[in-house]
Amino acid sequence: MTAIELTDRQIKIVEIVKERGPITGEQIGEILNLTRATLRPDLAILTMSGILEARPRVGYYYNGQSGNTLVARAIGKIRVKDVKSLPVVVREATTVYDAIVTLFTEDVGTLIIVDNEGGLIGVVSRKDLLKIAIGGNDAQKIPISMVMTRMPNIVTVTPEDTIYQAAKRLIVHEIDTLPVVRTFALPNGHERQEVVGRITKTTITKLLVELGEGHN
Ligand code: ADP
């Protein structure tokens, strides 16, 4: 992962520049009682990451928008393949009853339905299952294929998509889980979406906590 972790000294430099900028490297060094050469790597990191701006003959000043820019850069760089978790999948002949049991045993809210080759067929959420369960149906007899949302209406991501794209899809489509798929072309010209993982709202929340670690 590529979140930028600032050292204590770098944080101090940012504070100084925030308060007194524009300020030269020399002046920052005087305040911190360090030579300019000692500070050079820190200043390089802070300017390269966009937190500080350096203007020749003026000095360093604080880029007020850097907080947002940093977050935007981080989530635009992290890929689905870096953070995806294992998919929890069942076959389409699985009964509603067994699907509900799987929600508990696997501790998930959504199941992904696949064919014998691991190809994506559908998705079933906890509310899909609740709906059928409270309708007075025999959950032991109904196959999950009768209640799932099916292809081609499934919203997916690929391993190469960014985590920003994934999070955006979760929000736009108002869903909790995205199957991660790799697309294969079959000899007959059709395409198969092999399920290789899942991204959930929990994935995104965990990532936010990781990015915030050490800064809060
Ligand atoms: P819940 O229904 O438990 O709140 P969701 O918000 O994830 O969970 O699901 C809402 C509806 O969208 C359900 O009918 C579900 O089948 C469907 N759904 C869930 N995930 C996807 C997805 N990735 N693509 C398309 N439809 C989905």
Side-chain angles (χ1 to χ4, degrees), residues 109-110 123-128 131 147-149 153-156 173-179 201:
T110 305
V123 163
V124 76
S125 73
R126 66 188 113 198
K127 265 187 238 150
D128 293 332
K131 224 184 289 167
V147 295
M148 68 188 184
T149 301
N153 298 323
I154 308 294
V155 184
T156 60
H173 298 279
E174 298 181 359
I175 48 181
D176 294 348
T177 297
L178 294 165
K201 286 183 176 171

